[in-house]
Structure formats: structure tokens, C-alpha cells
Amino acid sequence: MDWMERTTRLRQWSRSGARAPHKPLLFLYALGRFQRDADGALLYSAVEHDLQRLLAEYGPSNRTTPAYPFHHLVSDGVWEVHTDYGPGSPGTGVRELRAAGAAGQLTPELRAALRRESSLLSRMARVLLDLNFPPSLHSELCEAVGLELEEAETAQLSAARKQRNRRMRELVLTAYEYRCAFCGYDGRIGAVPVGLEAAHVRWWAFDGPDDIDNGLCLCSLHHKLFDKGVLGLGEGRGEAHRILVSQSFVGHSTAAREHVIKLAGRPVTGPQPGVRPIAATHLSWHAEQVFHGTPRPAPAA
């Protein structure tokens, strides 16, 4: 049984690029718990809140229940569920899972494999991250699920990640003249740009191409907020797109107001003339699958 192959095949339900990262998030959470308690089972009623929080923060804006992956991950051969009445899941009903005392954990075979091969857990986690989430979220997602990944154990990245177009960053930053498209930040150390990144509008993990019309030059802060669904892009006057700020975002500090809230309705800077603008299909995907909730109205002048 090849656990890496099984992990690679563990693809979330997807139709027309729709995100539903239920099972990858539960699997990452279970791997994190295994690091702390290799034989401990996860009682559904005890972890429901944690799983709901992960889905709300790292899933699309449509609300869903963690009961779905708790039941369905069994079919992937990496997870088992038992109740007060014996082995097997009572289904996807939240009340049924709670009432039956449903508890889940990694299968005995997988737990044994993780004990035998110390690097397996980190490699499986890296595949789950690469295939389901953008790189800007990997570190904080590991922290959120309690995973500690050793850099030496993850140095051999998945083949899929290696296939990325390494020139994309240079092409996108050049297209936007080395300025953040949202705030205009253009910091350098000598001749080297610092704190500027090439963001995928449609995530690479969801067939987003390494093309100029799927790229956006953003500073590190706005890249993270763009991938978290705090910021988005909408149609503006003429050819320029406008910046969307989610009403779900709350910030009372001067920094939050100046660097996030006041961006609402502003036109995007760039790309320079002659460069293909962001494709409408990629904009639609981000708006539907990443941006959270309703955009704030533009602040009064």
C-alpha cells in the first residue's frame, strides 16, 4: 500500500473548479493530532468546533459541516470511525455523530507506517498542502492544525510543485513594474525587490496557470489577505478592476483602516500597457471560491 499515492489521490470533491477542502483539512488535523498522541481517537463532539473553524477560515464562503469529512474520509482508506455501538460511522448527520459518541482516527495500518518511517508524515502533509492550498497559507495552516514539519523532511517537494513556472514571479513583477497592485508598495534592498510576490488569482492547486493573465503583483500582506479571501477584485470603470474588501474583515487600528479597509473601491494599479489583463474566468473563480461574503462599500471621499 503506497501511502503517498493514496494521499495524492485524496482529492477534495470538485466540480468546475469549486473548492470543498473538507477531507484534506480533516486529514491534516488528524496528522497534527497523531504527532501529539499517536493512538488517541478524535471524539467528534470534542473536535467539531476546531474542524468548523478550519472550514470557515480555509474553505470557501459557503457554510458547511465537518460531519461530511468525518464520515466520508473513511472511503479513502486512511481514516476509521467507531461509535459506542461498534465500528463504522452512523452517517453525515451531526446529531447522529454526537449521540453515538462517534470517534475517528487514522487507520491502524497508516499509524504503523508513520511509526516505521519518520519522514512519511511530513511528506504526506506537504502533498496535501501543495495540492489543495496556495503556498502563502501553508505555514499558518500547519500552525492551525498543530503540525510541525521539519524542513529537512520536506526538502524533496512533490513533482507537481516542481513543475511550476519559476519565471512567473519575474514576469508578473515586471508586468506590474515592481509595485503592489493594491497599495503601490515598491520596496527594494539595493536592486533587489523585497516583500513583493507574484500571486495566482486562480490557485495553482485548482488548475490556475502560470500565465500573466492569472498573476498579480502584491506585497506580502496583501498577497496573504487576497489568498484568505479578505481582498478580491471586481469590475471597475473602464478597463481597470477595483479592489474588493470583505465585510467579514474587522480591524479598528489605524493600520487596519489604512492598509485594508480604505482599499475598498480603489482601482488596481497595472499591469503596464501591452500586458494581458487578468482573465475574466480567473477573476470569477476567485470571487466564487475564495472571496468571503459581501464586499464593503467604498469609503466616502
Side-chain angles (χ1 to χ4, degrees):
M1 184 179 297
D2 189 331
W3 293 109
M4 291 302 297
E5 183 179 355
R6 183 159 289 186
T7 303
T8 301
R9 290 180 177 178
L10 177 78
R11 250 329 263 256
Q12 53 204 347
W13 175 90
S14 180
R15 182 175 60 201
S16 301
R19 287 203 309 131
H22 307 68
K23 291 196 286 187
L25 284 169
L26 173 57
F27 198 5
L28 286 167
Y29 184 83
L31 290 173
R33 290 294 291 265
F34 177 86
Q35 282 187 323
R36 301 191 297 278
D37 182 4
D39 291 313
L42 306 181
L43 186 66
Y44 179 79
S45 58
V47 300
E48 181 181 6
H49 176 75
D50 283 352
L51 296 176
Q52 188 68 63
R53 176 180 53 80
L54 288 170
L55 286 169
E57 189 166 356
Y58 297 100
S61 58
N62 53 303
R63 295 290 176 177
T64 188
T65 168
Y68 171 88
F70 205 90
H71 169 77
H72 284 293
L73 188 60
V74 172
S75 64
D76 293 280
V78 298
W79 177 254
E80 63 179 10
V81 175
H82 61 270
T83 70
D84 294 339
Y85 312 106
S89 170
T92 57
V94 172
R95 291 181 180 177
E96 289 79 3
L97 286 166
R98 293 172 181 164
Q105 64 185 143
L106 302 176
T107 62
E109 296 83 2
L110 177 52
R111 298 201 306 272
L114 291 169
R115 289 189 180 96
R116 286 195 306 270
E117 188 176 352
S118 61
S119 69
L120 179 60
L121 186 147
S122 290
R123 290 188 288 115
M124 292 176 72
R126 180 60 65 189
V127 166
L128 289 168
L129 292 168
D130 281 344
L131 294 183
N132 297 287
F133 303 98
S136 66
L137 301 183
H138 289 184
S139 294
E140 69 168 67
L141 185 47
C142 285
E143 184 175 347
V145 299
L147 265 173
E148 295 183 7
L149 301 186
E150 295 294 333
E151 193 63 34
E153 294 175 342
T154 60
Q156 187 175 355
L157 301 182
S158 66
R161 189 176 181 185
K162 287 183 178 179
Q163 292 173 3
R164 285 184 176 162
N165 185 345
R166 295 182 179 181
R167 295 185 62 231
M168 183 179 177
R169 180 177 184 274
E170 180 181 349
L171 293 173
V172 169
L173 266 59
T174 299
Y176 285 83
E177 301 181 279
Y178 295 86
R179 291 181 299 174
C180 175
F182 287 177
C183 69
Y185 169 81
D186 60 355
R188 295 172 180 261
I189 295 179
V192 180
V194 60
L196 286 173
E197 301 168 356
H200 283 75
V201 178
R202 183 184 181 116
W203 294 354
W204 176 86
F206 287 83
D207 303 318
D210 288 326
D211 295 335
I212 289 290
D213 63 3
N214 188 41
L216 196 59
C217 178
L218 295 175
C219 66
S220 301
L221 170 64
H222 292 136
H223 187 180
K224 175 64 70 68
L225 296 178
F226 188 66
D227 283 347
K228 289 292 288 278
V230 172
L231 300 176
L233 291 172
E235 296 298 327
R237 295 179 180 178
E239 297 183 356
H241 298 295
R242 63 186 178 89
I243 302 170
L244 305 180
V245 179
S246 172
Q247 287 188 341
S248 300
F249 176 81
V250 177
H252 302 290
S253 66
T254 300
R257 290 195 302 271
E258 293 294 328
H259 300 305
V260 183
I261 295 172
K262 285 189 176 181
L263 293 178
R266 282 190 193 175
V268 171
T269 302
Q272 57 180 288
V275 175
R276 296 196 311 273
I278 300 170
T281 54
H282 302 325
L283 285 174
S284 296
W285 183 88
H286 189 276
E288 295 169 3
Q289 301 301 322
V290 181
F291 187 74
H292 275 272
T294 305
R296 287 172 172 264

